[in-house]
Amino acid sequence: MLRNMAVNVPWKRLVRFVPRSDPSQVLIGQPQDDDVDVGIAVRRGLDVAVDVFSGSSVLSPGRQTGTSAIIDRVLSPLAMSEVGTIRCIGLNYKQHAAEVNMALPTVPTVFMKPSTSLGDPWPAPTVLPKLTQHDDSGDYEAELGVVIGAAAKNVAEADALAHVLGYTACNDVSSRAAQFAQSQWCFSKGFDGACPIGPTLVSPALIPDPARLHLRGRLKKKDQHGDGNDVPPLRLLQDCGTDDLIFSIPQLISFLSQGTTLLPGTLIITGTPAGVGIVRKPKVTVKHGDEFHVEIRPYIGTLVNVFENET
């Protein structure tokens, strides 16, 4: 029997943010509106009111202080110093395996991203390295992120969800030419800022079964003339439920914990569904000024990334 009693937390959704009242502060809190999509609201310039918590990290958020603040700039739920090495799973959706004409793996395909690849949601830019610009190989990957809240080692699948602090959205930004030139993917997916996550971290109390979520990836190309007259709408490119996962979240946590301690703050990104740009005809790449949305329903909402060329 799967035991999904998660890390005990006194919150539903957390955000890490810079408040409008004091740009020198970084706060942790819970949006007052349970239904607000924080990423979309911030992108539209709407006020998002947050009940401020006493802690300085989602790993130890403390309690509500009785004060509130308006988000000025939303940040990654985790700080770079908290994630260690990011564990990533490749080829983990059945439909994605089919679109790239690959057999279903029998064990999870694991690669790593360094902590320096962690990125904030918009308004922070998602940077396209010079290497990626040179060969026009930038790609998006909408993914579900899992944050570990209690140290896990040699965990059984039945106990795995008890180690989860929360769930978030992730964009596994990739440089495809570099990826296909090598057998290992750490370099091509590990550039600075190539793992933006957020903006919310959602408690497992709201998501007792992570196999019942739905992911969508949508891309809006840059307005070529800057006059607003040729801005295309968001194009739906990825659209899939997490019930299509080859290896479930409990299976992944158990597998990754074998012989290896997953410390609190460990981020696991769990694979992308079908619809990536490299296999489309014609192929779709991300360029300077393009905007990509990773939407995960229910509860998690939308991670907004606007791409910017490294100079």
Side-chain angles (χ1 to χ4, degrees), residues 179-217:
Q179 180 182 0
F180 297 147
Q182 301 171 330
S183 61
Q184 302 294 320
W185 301 345
C186 299
F187 174 74
S188 61
K189 292 170 171 278
F191 301 116
D192 291 352
C195 190
I197 67 170
T200 60
L201 181 70
V202 177
S203 167
L206 293 182
I207 304 175
D209 183 359
R212 302 184 69 176
L213 297 171
H214 198 92
L215 282 74
R216 296 204 303 171

Side-chain angles (χ1 to χ4, degrees), residues 243-259:
D243 57 353
D244 191 55
L245 283 168
I246 298 168
F247 301 102
S248 69
I249 305 306
Q251 287 176 308
L252 293 177
I253 294 171
S254 176
F255 179 83
L256 292 169
S257 75
Q258 297 308 303

Side-chain angles (χ1 to χ4, degrees), residues 23 36 56 130-131 136 140 186 208-210 228 292 306 309:
V36 66
S56 58
K130 294 178 181 178
L131 176 150
D136 188 26
Y140 53 84
C186 299
D209 183 359
F292 191 74
V306 176
N309 282 345

Side-chain angles (χ1 to χ4, degrees), residues 55-114:
S56 58
S57 166
V58 296
L59 300 179
S60 183
R63 300 281 176 172
Q64 291 192 30
T65 62
T67 62
S68 64
I70 302 297
I71 294 177
D72 180 61
R73 183 162 53 91
V74 69
L75 306 173
S76 160
L78 293 164
M80 193 180 295
S81 60
E82 295 175 321
V83 300
T85 301
I86 300 165
R87 272 74 167 180
C88 314
I89 307 300
L91 201 68
N92 197 30
Y93 280 81
K94 300 179 185 74
Q95 293 176 25
H96 180 47
E99 76 174 348
V100 295
N101 296 313
M102 295 184 69
L104 298 186
T106 56
V107 295
T109 300
V110 182
F111 62 97
M112 305 285 199
K113 286 177 181 265

Side-chain angles (χ1 to χ4, degrees), residues 6-227:
V7 177
N8 187 27
V9 292
W11 46 267
K12 299 176 183 176
R13 299 192 301 162
L14 289 179
V15 289
R16 180 169 162 265
F17 68 102
V18 175
R20 186 179 298 169
S21 59
D22 186 350
S24 68
Q25 283 191 307
V26 174
L27 301 178
I28 302 294
Q30 180 163 265
Q32 292 181 349
D33 183 350
D34 288 343
D35 297 321
V36 66
D37 185 324
V38 173
I40 294 297
V42 170
R43 181 67 171 122
R44 292 176 177 171
L46 303 176
D47 288 353
V48 178
V50 176
D51 289 326
V52 177
F53 278 54
S54 58
S56 58
S57 166
V58 296
L59 300 179
S60 183
R63 300 281 176 172
Q64 291 192 30
T65 62
T67 62
S68 64
I70 302 297
I71 294 177
D72 180 61
R73 183 162 53 91
V74 69
L75 306 173
S76 160
L78 293 164
M80 193 180 295
S81 60
E82 295 175 321
V83 300
T85 301
I86 300 165
R87 272 74 167 180
C88 314
I89 307 300
L91 201 68
N92 197 30
Y93 280 81
K94 300 179 185 74
Q95 293 176 25
H96 180 47
E99 76 174 348
V100 295
N101 296 313
M102 295 184 69
L104 298 186
T106 56
V107 295
T109 300
V110 182
F111 62 97
M112 305 285 199
K113 286 177 181 265
S115 61
T116 49
S117 69
L118 193 71
D120 293 328
W122 184 90
T126 299
V127 176
L128 291 171
K130 294 178 181 178
L131 176 150
T132 306
Q133 300 169 43
H134 175 72
D135 51 29
D136 188 26
S137 64
D139 208 347
Y140 53 84
E141 289 191 5
E143 304 204 13
L144 172 67
V146 181
V147 177
I148 297 297
K153 183 175 181 180
N154 296 331
V155 173
E157 287 180 28
D159 300 318
L161 293 184
H163 295 265
V164 173
L165 177 66
Y167 301 97
T168 192
C170 174
N171 187 356
D172 179 17
V173 182
S174 305
S175 181
R176 296 301 189 190
Q179 180 182 0
F180 297 147
Q182 301 171 330
S183 61
Q184 302 294 320
W185 301 345
C186 299
F187 174 74
S188 61
K189 292 170 171 278
F191 301 116
D192 291 352
C195 190
I197 67 170
T200 60
L201 181 70
V202 177
S203 167
L206 293 182
I207 304 175
D209 183 359
R212 302 184 69 176
L213 297 171
H214 198 92
L215 282 74
R216 296 204 303 171
R218 298 186 294 167
L219 178 67
K220 179 166 68 174
K221 301 301 289 183
K222 179 184 177 182
D223 175 5
Q224 296 300 317
H225 299 99
D227 56 8

Side-chain angles (χ1 to χ4, degrees), residues 271-283:
T272 197
V276 295
I278 191 62
V279 299
R280 290 186 167 271
K281 299 185 185 304
K283 75 173 183 177

